[in-house]
Amino acid sequence: MVGCGSIGQTTLALLRRHVALGPDKLVVLSADEDGRGVAQEHGASFVHSHLKPRNYRRNLARHVHAGDLLLNLSVDVSSLDLVRFAASSGALYVDTSIEPWPGVFDNPMLDLRQRTNFLIRHRALQLASELGRDSPTAVVDHGANPGLVSHFVKRALLDLHRTLRSESARPVSREDWATLARDLGIRLIQVSERDTQASDRPKRPGEFVNTWSIDGFLDESMQPSELSLGTAEKRKPIGALFHRRDSGTIFLNRPGAGTYARSWTPSAGGFQGLLMSHDEVFSIGDQLSLRSGGKLTYRPTVMYVYHPCDDAMLSVWELEGRGWQPQPQRRRLGLDVVTGMEELGVLIAGHARNAYWLGSQLSIEDARRHVPFANATSVQVAAGALAAVVWAIKNPRRGIVEADDLDFEGCLETAAPYLGRIVGEFTDWTPLQGRGELFEEELDIDQPWLLQNVRSRQWRG
């Protein structure tokens, strides 16, 4: 295992419940000492090793051999370089996000397009083609989101199929799933996340507070917003650019932490969150696209709307006010969380019943029943990583795959014990509720789930 932060430590506490490992068969490589105690407590050898472009192959070769599994839970380590190394070594590979080496996502000297997740994922798909489908399995982007949310989408589509059409036909191929989404009238899919965890120590000025990797969240915050643009949309947002004309995906000339959209979860109701860049907006969009003659004939709009815990949201606002210069102090919430939950799911909208949310409601109390020192966010992500590890071991020669390529029912079965309540709920809420006429662009009241209604705009001056 590479990396031993909040997700790595939580995964260590759960890993042996799913994988039979001898006393000397678990090695942790970490760039700092933060997780040494947890690693040793759970029977892992801990090696202080800071992987860099010039040394990662040499350091990994001491520990990774044919038949092993390389679980990458780090930040600022190139996922694609580790995938290539694992494949050449005959080892399996799993990560929870596709990461580059440092100096990409937060580098203002790079063109915006070079800082997008679309470009990094595109390189992963190119590597998948190069290595071939029979190479050692490498599951990329499989935590909670990206990861489990792709499985929530499929389960939600089946729920809607039963409710709206009363048919038992079950999709098999990618085209089957896309046809089902089209026939159900799905216009918008939001990965919808509201974190209400709160600490007994409030955020202080000059401090960035978060429930998961602060380095990872800072990178995401300063990347441009990205989303899949559906075929039902009437226009591209002002200032948005296509990654490629035929891609069906766009990026905005704004950082994700400075761009807002409206969403809904069962416990919070309607809320305004950050319109962030995540790889699942591409993979879900691709999974549910239909083409004819090389042109898109159906594709839902797919986006990620995130309201982090309140102290993290305050941290983001302070970050923007500082001109995107990170705060000098950082604090990841752990044992100091005293209340709240992580509510993560997918909002499937535009069909005959308006909108349907399906996902996980994991309270801090339920999370600590599994891992006493963790918070709800890290347990959800660890659940996704564990599901990918189990699937990879059972399917060792599948090449590079994403969540949408995996058995969604099997993955959810592995993860479900750690997700609290799995909730499916219809709602009459739309992004038009609570909106006035004080916005720069006109709302479309006849088609409430268009992007122009969902995205929050600036007030008129």
Side-chain angles (χ1 to χ4, degrees):
M1 189 171 82
V2 176
C4 199
S6 60
I7 308 305
Q9 292 172 38
T10 303
T11 302
L12 281 172
L14 302 174
L15 185 60
R16 292 184 188 273
R17 302 183 189 181
H18 299 271
V19 182
L21 293 167
D24 60 342
K25 297 299 184 182
L26 181 55
V27 179
V28 174
L29 280 68
S30 179
D32 57 45
E33 292 289 311
D34 187 40
R36 181 181 289 274
V38 172
Q40 294 174 341
E41 179 184 350
H42 291 92
S45 301
F46 187 93
V47 179
H48 192 146
S49 178
H50 190 177
L51 300 186
K52 298 180 180 181
R54 67 177 182 271
N55 71 12
Y56 76 94
R57 296 189 66 87
R58 180 175 67 253
N59 288 350
L60 288 176
R62 297 170 183 158
H63 307 284
V64 180
H65 310 288
D68 289 346
L69 186 146
L70 176 58
L71 177 57
N72 179 13
L73 301 176
S74 65
V75 295
D76 287 341
V77 174
S78 170
S79 302
L80 301 188
D81 281 348
L82 265 59
V83 169
R84 191 184 295 275
F85 173 85
S88 67
S89 304
L92 308 178
Y93 175 90
V94 170
D95 68 33
T96 55
S97 67
I98 303 177
E99 294 279 331
W101 293 113
V104 176
F105 290 152
D106 61 347
N107 188 346
M109 302 304 292
L110 293 179
D111 178 83
L112 271 180
R113 195 183 305 271
Q114 295 177 286
R115 295 165 52 196
T116 60
N117 277 331
F118 178 89
L119 184 59
I120 302 295
R121 177 176 177 262
H122 179 66
R123 291 170 179 163
L125 297 179
Q126 289 178 319
L127 181 58
S129 178
E130 175 188 331
L131 295 177
R133 295 183 179 180
D134 192 46
S135 61
T137 294
V139 184
V140 296
D141 273 340
H142 203 291
N145 57 313
L148 295 178
V149 291
S150 289
H151 308 318
F152 289 157
V153 167
K154 289 182 176 177
R155 177 176 283 187
L157 289 175
L158 292 181
D159 288 351
L160 288 169
H161 194 200
R162 287 189 293 269
T163 301
L164 301 179
R165 305 182 73 189
S166 300
E167 298 176 9
S168 58
R170 190 175 182 81
V172 177
S173 67
R174 187 202 63 76
E175 290 77 11
D176 291 342
W177 286 105
T179 300
L180 174 59
R182 181 199 65 190
D183 293 348
L184 289 171
I186 308 304
R187 293 192 171 199
L188 174 72
I189 297 177
Q190 288 185 336
V191 175
S192 177
E193 181 175 3
R194 179 64 171 101
D195 184 350
T196 59
Q197 294 172 96
S199 167
D200 58 2
R201 293 171 52 202
K203 171 189 149 36
R204 295 185 173 92
E207 181 183 42
F208 198 105
V209 174
N210 193 29
T211 55
W212 54 283
S213 169
I214 292 174
D215 287 336
F217 189 31
L218 283 169
D219 282 348
E220 288 187 8
S221 296
M222 291 186 276
Q223 283 183 267
S225 286
E226 299 177 84
L227 62 147
S228 286
L229 192 68
T231 49
E233 300 294 344
K234 295 181 177 180
R235 58 179 179 264
K236 178 168 60 72
I238 296 173
L241 297 172
F242 281 102
H243 292 100
R244 288 197 318 256
R245 272 291 168 186
D246 61 344
S247 68
T249 60
I250 60 172
F251 63 98
L252 308 180
N253 189 23
R254 292 183 58 81
T259 310
Y260 299 90
R262 306 200 74 205
S263 190
W264 184 93
T265 63
S267 72
F271 69 91
Q272 177 170 278
L274 307 174
L275 184 54
M276 306 287 282
S277 174
H278 257 207
D279 284 346
E280 71 266 24
V281 305
F282 312 123
S283 66
I284 293 171
D286 290 349
Q287 174 81 9
L288 301 180
S289 289
L290 294 171
R291 292 178 180 269
S292 177
K295 294 185 177 181
L296 283 169
T297 58
Y298 170 75
R299 184 181 181 94
T301 294
V302 187
M303 63 178 65
Y304 171 40
V305 184
Y306 179 36
H307 193 305
C309 73
D310 289 350
D311 277 348
M313 186 64 92
L314 288 174
S315 300
V316 165
W317 288 337
E318 185 183 46
L319 175 69
E320 183 176 16
R322 292 168 55 92
W324 306 105
Q325 297 300 310
Q327 292 91 323
Q329 303 298 321
R330 301 178 179 189
R331 176 163 55 98
R332 189 181 70 229
L333 302 185
L335 290 173
D336 52 340
V337 175
V338 293
T339 187
M341 73 173 174
E342 180 70 82
E343 190 170 27
L344 170 67
V346 293
L347 186 68
I348 314 291
H351 48 78
R353 289 287 300 273
N354 184 53
Y356 180 66
W357 191 93
L358 186 140
S360 161
Q361 293 178 334
L362 181 61
S363 69
I364 186 62
E365 294 81 10
D366 284 343
R368 286 182 176 152
R369 289 190 183 100
H370 299 292
V371 184
F373 59 81
N375 62 41
T377 309
S378 61
V379 171
Q380 280 182 338
V381 179
L386 289 169
V389 166
V390 171
W391 188 90
I393 292 171
K394 292 179 178 179
N395 300 268
R397 305 291 299 190
R398 295 288 294 273
I400 297 178
V401 289
E402 299 175 293
D404 308 85
D405 303 312
L406 276 55
D407 165 27
F408 80 97
E409 291 173 313
C411 288
L412 287 178
E413 182 180 359
T414 301
Y418 311 113
L419 299 180
R421 296 179 63 235
I422 303 295
V423 177
E425 188 171 319
F426 286 97
T427 177
D428 293 330
W429 181 88
T430 78
L432 296 174
Q433 293 181 20
R435 305 289 287 266
E437 297 180 355
L438 300 178
F439 298 95
E440 293 178 352
E441 299 178 46
E442 294 182 0
L443 302 176
D444 189 324
I445 61 175
D446 296 322
Q447 300 184 61
W449 294 105
L450 292 177
L451 177 59
Q452 66 193 74
N453 297 332
V454 172
R455 185 184 171 196
S456 301
R457 288 168 288 276
Q458 301 294 320
W459 296 99
R460 286 175 177 165

